[in-house]
Amino acid sequence: MPTDDHILLARRHLAAARKLTILTGAGISADSGVPTFRGADGLWRNFRPEDLATPEAFERDPRLVWEWYNWRRELIATKQPNSAHHAVVELEQRWVDRMWLITQNVDGLHRAAGSQRLSEIHGNIWKVRCTGCGVVSENREIPLPPLPTCRLCQALLRPHIVWFGESLWEEEIHRCDEALRDCDVFLVIGTSGVVYPAAGFASVAKEAGAMVIEINLDRTPQSNLVDLSLQGRAKDLVPLLLYPA
Ligand code: OAD
């Protein structure tokens, strides 16, 4: 756990911030029971991303990919937002239109908690996208077989997720870039900081003059770059930031 002085320092910087940008990763949902990707029981320790999370994998075996996403959907459906997700909502309510949340998580738990001003830069597991006409829609039930197809054009539907080897959506990147260059505090919660472009966001915000605060269970490749690194569980530490400085 960080010392009280470190928590106090984080609160002071937050209190002085006119604009706040937050980045979250799998660590914030770990406290809700959603597996991370690179932790001890992380998904990428048991599955190969190239078999399940690339456009080539989907082309080769769409059924296998859909089965994997259905398995993850079933798991996530049983989980609830935790105190860290709720604290992020509280921060949004305080900063109103001066806060932006960027999440790499596809689990939808930030939305379920009530976050409204956010970019889900890796997509959302509860959305599907047509491989033909590109229409995105919410779809919570994908019974297999047969493979799901688009109501409008009958082409195959895919998860609305950014897979390895794919680029992020232009408009999301633009919005994130603006939020990173224009914030006074950039709060990075529960990400290993190894997947780009999000792994580069702390540098962008810092170079633009923001104070960067990291909350993570462990040290990360970003810990030396940030101004303040708080080690502990997101569910314990994020709510502590809500108290007055
Ligand atoms: P990772 O699994 O790579 O990292 C999770 C981070 O959370 C690690 O740094 C852990 O130390 C930290 N952590 C674990 N439990 C925590 C807790 N209770 N409180 C605070 N921190 C905790 O997940 P991401 O960084 O989110 O991409 O991974 C980035 C992307 O890689 C994901 O979005 C995913 C994956 O491939 C896609 O699905 C497109």
Side-chain angles (χ1 to χ4, degrees):
M1 273 300 266
T3 64
D4 290 351
D5 283 355
H6 282 132
I7 298 288
L8 205 62
L9 193 60
R11 281 187 199 142
R12 287 213 183 108
H13 283 288
L14 264 184
R18 214 182 82 73
K19 290 204 174 173
L20 169 64
T21 299
I22 300 179
L23 169 69
T24 63
I28 195 168
S29 293
D31 289 329
S32 293
V34 180
T36 64
F37 292 92
R38 296 172 185 80
D41 290 323
L43 292 174
W44 295 151
R45 290 185 186 260
N46 299 307
F47 300 97
R48 284 158 34 102
E50 54 272 40
D51 291 341
L52 301 162
T54 63
E56 294 77 23
F58 191 65
E59 212 164 292
R60 210 168 38 238
D61 194 345
R63 168 126 184 223
L64 176 73
V65 172
W66 263 121
E67 280 170 354
W68 189 64
Y69 277 94
N70 267 1
W71 170 74
R72 285 182 59 200
R73 281 168 158 233
E74 277 168 28
L75 195 146
I76 292 166
T78 63
K79 312 301 178 204
Q80 302 296 325
N82 63 61
S83 54
H85 295 102
H86 292 300
V88 169
V89 176
E90 175 85 35
L91 291 170
E92 180 183 309
Q93 284 164 356
R94 290 186 193 179
W95 264 260
V96 196
D97 58 353
R98 292 175 290 113
M99 191 198 111
W100 194 254
L101 168 63
I102 304 167
T103 187
Q104 299 168 89
N105 298 346
V106 300
D107 55 33
L109 290 182
H110 280 298
R111 280 187 197 279
S115 286
Q116 291 181 8
R117 295 176 51 77
L118 77 166
S119 295
E120 293 176 314
I121 58 170
H122 289 168
N124 184 305
I125 202 161
W126 303 110
K127 290 182 180 171
V128 296
R129 186 165 82 245
C130 176
T131 55
C133 65
V135 165
V136 176
S137 54
E138 196 156 321
N139 187 332
R140 297 186 85 87
E141 290 283 324
I142 307 281
L144 294 172
L147 286 168
T149 51
C150 176
R151 275 197 211 145
L152 302 172
C153 75
Q154 277 71 53
L156 189 60
L157 294 176
R158 58 164 280 177
H160 185 50
I161 302 276
V162 177
W163 284 326
F164 287 97
E166 293 185 316
S167 304
L168 268 60
W169 300 292
E170 199 70 38
E171 66 180 288
E172 291 294 2
I173 278 301
H174 183 71
R175 208 174 338 188
C176 293
D177 201 53
E178 229 170 86
L180 293 167
R181 291 180 194 282
D182 196 27
C183 63
D184 304 297
V185 168
F186 181 46
L187 182 57
V188 182
I189 307 168
T191 175
S192 56
V194 295
V195 175
Y196 282 85
F201 287 177
S203 303
V204 174
K206 198 168 163 63
E207 275 164 30
M211 157 98 188
V212 183
I213 304 173
E214 175 186 64
I215 292 182
N216 199 298
L217 204 51
D218 297 313
R219 285 187 69 77
T220 73
Q222 316 252 314
S223 299
N224 285 333
L225 168 102
V226 304
D227 298 288
L228 191 55
S229 177
L230 306 176
Q231 276 164 49
R233 292 191 176 280
K235 78 168 168 47
D236 299 327
L237 296 186
V238 187
L240 290 182
L241 300 181
L242 297 174
Y243 293 96

